[in-house]
Amino acid sequence: MAMDNEIKMNPYLPYPAVIDDIIVETEDGNLKTFRLVLEDEKDRENWNHTPGQFAMLSIAGKGEIPIGIASSPTEKGSLLFTVNRAGVVTTALHKMNKGDPIGVRGPLGNGFPVDSELRGKNIVIIAGGFAFTTLRATLIYMLEHRDRYGKITVIYGARTPGMLLYKEELKAWQSRGDLDVHITVDREAPGWDGLVGFVPSIAGQVRPSPENAAALICGPPIMIKFTMPPLEEAGWKDSQVYLSLENRMKCGIGICGHCNVGPVYVCKDGPVFTREEVQKLPVEF
Amino acid sequence: MKPLVVEKAQAEKWLEELCRVFDVFCPVKVKGDLYQWGRLGKKGLPRIPEGVPKTTIKTFFFPQPEVLFEFGARPGLKDAFRLKEPVCEKRPRLLFGVRPCDARSVVLNSMPYEEDPYFQKNRDETTMVGFLCKDGCSTCFCTWTGGSPLGMEGMDLAVVELEDGALFLEPITEKGLGLLEFDFFREPTEEEEVFVKGLREKVNKDAEETSSRLRSKGLMDLYNAPFWQEVSDACINCGTCTFLCPTCYCFDIQDETLRGKGRRIRYWDSCMFPLFTQHASGHNPRGDKLKRVRNRFMHKLKYFPDRFGPVSCVGCGRCVRDCPVNIDIRQVLARMLEV
């Protein structure tokens, strides 16, 4: 349907899209990656996002959910979203098939400062569980522009080998010479010959240098809490640590009032904040 | 712009003319002292009660519900998100008898809603004829929050009721000026000008700096102040304050479907309700009542001023009047100013 320019500017209208592919990521089947293609060529051409941004996925009749964009803007033509089955909309999404219609509203939020503060820095990516999604986008972007960043270290952990996301890519990254990758699982598992241990203890062993560096940390709150002491011991400051917050959201553009943490809106001012910024806010996330 | 005066008898004819062009709304008596915003009913000039009606005018700018768009909702329907803008032919709206606090609330709400096409369209299609206040109610406190009983912010035309029932009309905007393109008016007399000027001089705007005092206070000092426990103890989280408040503007978005057709709507929501912030995981960052009560006051009196300047309260006193457990925002404000 032809829509005039005026209505296209309406920030509540999703772009029509179609599910192009579905990848079951984890052994429990609760995490799937959806490859979406915007239906209109014009929308595909105009789409541009920063790693760390999110979008609202819309299912007609079910509603919307904010999901981090798992693909890098350098991966043109489609968008990846890795979705945990949790509520009404994500459950409906998990039941959908290739070719089904869906809406995408975004990109929303600020993203990681990959083209400003992070440029020229050594990068340490620390992720736990399914929070790896926007960090995958960030890593792909950085690898595409490898000369803009110094040493890149990745520490990623999941409960079991079967709960790791993007398994094929993890293998490929481990064999690259220009990346320092540490993949860990919580407990010994048959067939697993990699690292064993929680992300915080692996971070303590790797002990990345804070020298001209930035750390991007996404994971369950408990993981972030215990990852900070070993980093602080190594000399890291809160201003060097980037976190991505989550809250219930509706509008995604800083109006509806659901996601505020004190005076900031996670959807509009975030979701990415430095730990220094987060420490000044009430703990309402 | 030059003020004009309309005599009482002529005013009725003027309103009749306006009804030909606009859907006219005004405070309508329900029973006793209870007034609510509604469509202008019988002929003649409506009596505009002192103080504010029970309901607010936010419903005209932020309707309950607003249809964001419509869609096809049959399973597998290929064009599910080939969206249709809701078609709703409306006549322009005129709000007659808006008190200064309510008129100002629209200006304040416009700040967060600056890029919201629905709110702004509703604002464009609405003309506000404000009635300035000569008396207030015991629950009025607009001067504490940066407003004034004779404030004209947000109005298109400001009206002062003169002693003999004539109306002193001051156009503020082009829209307001447009309402005066009739032959019912005369120039004000010198006495009338002096009367209106006299009213203005009586207004005390002593607390105009409330918002700057709040802005200068430390965020976490206010957040961690000990009185929140006491304030929230009485609260039953009914949300009455948020629904009656002209500057509470939070909303939820839901999809509704019926027989293969669907629409996405938004409607008023309240930060007083636990589900407002509950994650799909069950985690709730404002799971405690204290946190929710604090969020409402902090949003109005600290977060909003930090972001936009003024406090997000116009001092209409509706929440004071109708809170079932007598929580008084004036007392909360006073305690915040003491921090």
Side-chain angles (χ1 to χ4, degrees):
Chain A
M1 189 184 105
M3 281 188 284
D4 58 29
N5 285 330
E6 193 191 345
I7 194 157
K8 265 293 184 195
M9 295 299 290
N10 184 332
Y12 296 96
L13 292 185
Y15 299 116
V18 66
I19 300 177
D20 183 53
D21 198 10
I22 302 172
I23 304 135
V24 179
E25 292 283 353
T26 55
E27 59 190 2
D28 66 355
N30 271 344
L31 281 147
K32 288 182 181 175
T33 296
F34 296 85
R35 179 185 300 280
L36 307 184
V37 175
L38 302 183
E39 284 195 40
D40 295 349
E41 196 184 342
K42 189 162 51 84
D43 295 341
R44 284 199 296 275
E45 279 167 12
N46 292 339
W47 181 277
N48 191 21
H49 72 274
T50 303
Q53 283 191 296
F54 67 97
M56 285 283 182
L57 301 187
S58 255
I59 301 178
K62 296 293 178 188
E64 288 189 311
I65 33 156
I67 302 288
I69 305 169
S71 52
S72 158
T74 54
E75 299 172 287
K76 300 254 182 241
S78 65
L79 297 164
L80 296 179
F81 295 90
T82 302
V83 182
N84 183 32
R85 187 163 61 82
V88 173
V89 183
T90 51
T91 301
L93 182 57
H94 268 246
K95 286 181 186 159
M96 288 170 78
N97 301 307
K98 261 193 217 183
D100 282 349
I102 191 166
V104 179
R105 190 156 69 82
L108 302 167
N110 58 357
F112 292 107
V114 287
D115 291 324
S116 47
E117 282 94 329
L118 299 183
R119 248 177 119 154
K121 297 253 168 66
N122 297 319
I123 304 293
V124 181
I125 287 174
I126 303 177
F130 57 85
F132 190 47
T133 63
T134 57
L135 290 178
R136 177 205 175 266
T138 309
L139 184 58
I140 298 280
Y141 184 86
M142 289 179 168
L143 292 175
E144 198 64 34
H145 305 286
R146 189 64 190 84
D147 55 325
R148 295 180 190 170
Y149 307 93
K151 187 181 178 191
I152 300 179
T153 307
V154 178
I155 301 168
Y156 173 44
R159 288 201 305 275
T160 64
M163 290 302 288
L164 289 163
L165 300 177
Y166 318 129
K167 295 179 189 69
E168 292 303 312
E169 286 177 317
L170 295 180
K171 269 184 219 154
W173 293 334
Q174 279 175 311
S175 58
R176 279 178 77 122
D178 58 353
L179 264 183
D180 183 20
V181 183
H182 307 268
I183 311 294
T184 181
V185 296
D186 290 357
R187 277 175 294 278
E188 298 277 356
W192 177 253
D193 55 1
L195 295 168
V196 175
F198 294 121
V199 167
S201 58
I202 303 299
Q205 287 162 26
V206 174
R207 207 181 153 84
S209 162
E211 190 77 21
N212 187 38
L216 318 181
I217 309 182
C218 290
I222 193 84
M223 182 207 92
I224 296 171
K225 185 180 167 190
F226 287 107
T227 300
M228 284 317 295
L231 288 186
E232 279 161 2
E233 206 184 291
W236 286 79
K237 294 192 183 64
D238 283 346
S239 58
Q240 294 174 278
V241 175
Y242 292 83
L243 306 171
S244 184
L245 302 188
E246 286 183 349
N247 252 356
R248 185 175 184 140
M249 295 172 185
K250 287 293 177 174
C251 71
I253 51 177
I255 305 176
C256 77
H258 285 258
C259 73
N260 78 300
V261 177
V264 309
Y265 292 99
V266 173
C267 69
K268 188 177 180 178
D269 306 313
V272 174
F273 298 92
T274 64
R275 188 158 191 268
E276 188 182 27
E277 291 167 327
V278 172
Q279 296 286 60
K280 292 177 186 157
L281 297 172
V283 189
E284 291 189 357
F285 46 86
Chain B
M1 293 183 211
K2 226 161 47 99
L4 291 171
V5 168
V6 62
E7 300 295 345
K8 198 175 175 192
Q10 297 287 82
E12 289 177 9
K13 289 184 195 154
W14 173 49
L15 202 55
E16 261 174 52
E17 288 298 326
L18 294 179
C19 285
R20 289 180 208 279
V21 183
F22 296 96
D23 281 342
V24 179
F25 295 84
C26 65
V28 175
K29 187 172 177 165
V30 180
K31 60 176 180 188
D33 292 336
L34 179 64
Y35 281 80
Q36 292 190 349
W37 276 92
R39 206 174 274 269
L40 174 69
K42 56 182 187 291
K43 285 194 174 185
L45 208 56
R47 190 181 91 80
I48 307 301
E50 285 298 340
V52 288
K54 181 155 183 139
T55 52
T56 73
I57 55 169
K58 74 177 170 185
T59 184
F60 297 108
F61 304 91
F62 174 34
Q64 176 80 308
E66 177 92 72
V67 178
L68 298 177
F69 53 80
E70 291 165 349
F71 52 81
R74 283 192 197 89
L77 195 70
K78 195 67 190 152
D79 62 350
F81 277 103
R82 295 288 150 177
L83 308 164
K84 296 164 193 76
E85 193 182 18
V87 183
C88 185
E89 283 302 319
K90 284 188 295 209
R91 295 207 302 165
R93 244 178 340 217
L94 183 98
L95 307 183
F96 191 85
V98 183
R99 290 298 177 187
C101 51
D102 280 351
R104 188 160 174 266
S105 74
V106 180
V107 178
L108 295 178
N109 292 348
S110 264
M111 295 173 175
Y113 278 83
E114 191 182 356
E115 284 164 29
D116 187 285
Y118 304 94
F119 183 96
Q120 295 303 344
K121 185 164 182 271
N122 289 332
R123 207 180 166 196
D124 289 345
E125 289 170 354
T126 307
T127 304
M128 279 202 271
V129 176
F131 270 52
L132 307 189
C133 299
K134 285 184 285 186
D135 282 314
C137 298
S138 61
T139 46
C140 288
F141 62 106
C142 62
T143 57
W144 296 30
T145 59
S148 156
L150 297 175
M152 301 188 286
E153 252 183 290
M155 296 176 186
D156 296 295
L157 181 71
V159 179
V160 176
E161 292 163 285
L162 299 172
E163 304 288 304
D164 56 357
L167 304 177
F168 184 94
L169 312 168
E170 233 174 313
I172 323 268
T173 64
E174 289 300 320
K175 267 198 237 170
L177 200 60
L179 302 179
L180 302 181
E181 286 169 358
F182 298 99
D183 297 329
F184 304 123
F185 312 101
R186 63 167 170 80
E187 307 262 311
T189 64
E190 199 173 315
E191 271 175 0
E192 286 162 344
E193 299 250 32
V194 168
F195 173 76
V196 172
K197 204 166 159 238
L199 289 177
R200 294 242 155 84
E201 280 163 4
K202 273 200 296 192
V203 173
N204 172 15
K205 283 190 90 177
D206 55 354
E208 204 173 10
E209 81 298 351
T210 306
S211 62
S212 65
R213 282 174 67 195
L214 288 164
R215 281 198 304 273
S216 70
K217 294 190 185 288
L219 172 73
M220 293 313 287
D221 294 337
L222 287 170
Y223 186 86
N224 291 321
F227 58 78
W228 294 118
Q229 182 66 52
E230 195 191 318
V231 173
S232 69
D233 274 346
C235 181
I236 54 172
N237 269 194
C238 67
T240 297
C241 51
T242 55
F243 289 102
L244 292 179
C245 177
T247 54
C248 268
Y249 56 76
C250 288
F251 61 82
D252 194 8
I253 300 177
Q254 293 286 342
D255 285 7
E256 286 186 337
T257 55
L258 186 67
R259 294 191 190 108
K261 280 185 183 161
R263 53 182 203 165
R264 181 159 294 165
I265 59 167
R266 76 165 171 209
Y267 55 89
W268 302 356
D269 204 350
S270 170
C271 63
M272 290 292 101
F273 302 152
L275 281 179
F276 190 75
T277 46
Q278 186 164 303
H279 294 197
S281 65
H283 168 66
N284 195 340
R286 285 200 288 271
D288 305 334
K289 183 173 72 169
L290 183 146
K291 286 184 170 173
R292 295 194 288 277
V293 172
R294 174 171 54 195
N295 182 70
R296 175 161 191 273
F297 290 115
M298 284 290 277
H299 176 256
K300 294 196 165 301
L301 304 174
K302 178 62 181 167
Y303 306 156
F304 191 95
D306 277 357
R307 206 170 180 101
F308 297 109
V311 295
S312 177
C313 171
V314 292
C316 70
R318 286 184 178 90
C319 58
V320 181
R321 215 159 56 179
D322 280 311
C323 175
V325 296
N326 298 318
I327 292 175
D328 190 330
I329 190 171
R330 294 170 297 184
Q331 287 168 4
V332 178
L333 173 60
R335 295 176 97 163
M336 286 175 75
L337 288 170
E338 280 165 18
V339 168

